[in-house]
Amino acid sequence: VHYYAGDGEPDFGLVESAKEIGSELVIVGSHGRTGYKRVLLGSVTERVVRLSTIDVMVARRLPSDGFNKILVPIDFSPASLRALRAAVDLVEDNGQVHLAHFWKSRGPEWPGRGDGQEAEKLRSESEERLKERVAEHARDGVELEYFQERSSAVPGIMTMLERARDYDLVMLGSHGMRLRERWLLGSVAERIVRHAPCSVWVVRPPGGDGSKEGRPQPSGGPQGRID
C-alpha cells in the first residue's frame, strides 16, 4: 500500500498519478450529489471516468461478501467483451452474471414497427450472438443468463437496475470516445455512473492503456511522489 498527497485538482491528479505508477484500475467513491451543480459541473468521479485511459470503478453500496450478481451491458464491442470476461472472473462462486443487449431498428419509428421484419432480424441476430457469448464464457458455479430488449442503452440498463435492485455491480465497456465528444455529449458509461444505485466498473477497450497489452509496466512509482 502506497500513499500520495499533493496539490491540484483531484480529478486530474488521480488520472495523472494512475498513469505515472502504471495502475491497472482507479477506484473512486461517489458522493451522490444532485441538482444543478452536478449537471453544470459534473462531479470529480464523473470527470475521472471521462479523463482516465484505464479502468475506473465507482464504488457505492459495496457488498461485504464479494460480488454475487453482476450486470454486463454488451454491444459486442471489444470493450464490452473484455467487461464480460472480467465479470465472469470477478463474480463469487454460485453468483450470477447477466448479459444485456439493447438494440433499435434503423429509421423512423411508428406503432407496430417493433414487430416488423427488420426488428425480428435484429432480435434473432442478437439472441444468437448472446448465446455464443454465454457458451464461450461458461464457468462452473456461475449462472450466466442473457437478456435483450428493443431500447436505447441508458434507459434499458436503468430499467433492469430498477426491476432487480440486488445487482452488486455494473461492468460496462467504454468505447473511448474522443475527449471533445465526451465533454459535449457525455457517454453511456458516464450516464450510468451518474444514475446507477450500485457500483459501476468502466472497462476500457483491450490493447490500449486500460489493458495489459498496451499498458506500461509499473516502475515503482514516480520518483519523489509515492512513499
Side-chain angles (χ1 to χ4, degrees):
V1 176
H2 304 275
Y3 66 87
Y4 166 66
D7 296 329
E9 296 294 332
D11 44 9
F12 288 101
L14 284 168
V15 170
E16 289 304 310
S17 294
K19 288 181 182 178
E20 291 177 8
I21 66 176
S23 297
E24 299 178 24
L25 173 67
V26 176
I27 303 178
V28 290
S30 175
H31 293 288
R33 292 193 179 96
T34 59
Y36 74 94
K37 288 185 178 179
R38 187 175 195 179
V39 172
L40 293 176
L41 303 176
S43 67
V44 170
T45 298
E46 290 169 24
R47 290 196 297 269
V48 170
V49 171
R50 182 178 295 155
L51 296 170
S52 178
T53 57
I54 64 172
D55 291 7
V56 177
M57 178 180 172
V58 180
R60 58 168 72 96
R61 205 185 69 189
L62 288 175
S64 59
D65 57 347
F67 296 107
N68 293 291
K69 189 172 181 180
I70 301 177
L71 176 62
V72 184
I74 184 170
D75 60 4
F76 307 107
S77 66
S80 69
L81 295 177
R82 181 170 176 252
L84 173 56
R85 289 193 298 269
V88 172
D89 289 340
L90 183 65
V91 71
E92 295 291 322
D93 290 338
N94 301 315
Q96 298 175 302
V97 175
H98 290 176
L99 286 69
H101 178 64
F102 305 98
W103 52 270
K104 293 193 72 174
S105 301
R106 295 178 293 273
E109 298 183 10
W110 56 81
R113 182 180 176 86
D115 298 324
Q117 190 173 17
E118 181 188 6
E120 183 56 38
K121 180 182 178 182
L122 290 171
R123 186 183 297 109
S124 176
E125 291 176 348
S126 169
E127 183 157 6
E128 189 63 31
R129 297 181 77 180
L130 287 166
K131 287 180 179 178
E132 290 174 357
R133 299 291 81 75
V134 167
E136 180 182 349
H137 293 85
R139 174 189 138 191
D140 289 341
V142 174
E143 182 181 340
L144 269 172
E145 294 186 46
Y146 68 84
F147 303 87
Q148 62 162 318
E149 188 173 319
R150 183 174 182 265
S151 169
S152 297
V154 173
I157 295 168
M158 292 306 303
T159 297
M160 287 197 68
L161 292 174
E162 291 167 4
R163 285 176 186 163
R165 295 182 176 272
D166 56 347
Y167 283 109
D168 300 317
L169 179 67
V170 179
M171 206 101 184
L172 184 66
S174 172
H175 291 285
M177 192 182 296
R178 290 180 299 177
L179 187 59
R180 179 176 179 273
E181 292 172 342
R182 287 182 188 170
W183 282 113
L184 292 177
L185 303 177
S187 69
V188 171
E190 289 168 42
R191 282 177 278 174
I192 297 304
V193 163
R194 178 177 297 176
H195 297 295
C198 60
S199 298
V200 180
W201 188 318
V202 180
V203 177
R204 300 303 183 193
D209 291 340
S211 70
K212 290 183 178 180
E213 294 88 344
R215 186 178 57 250
Q217 296 300 311
S219 59
Q223 186 174 3
R225 292 186 65 181
I226 300 293
D227 295 322

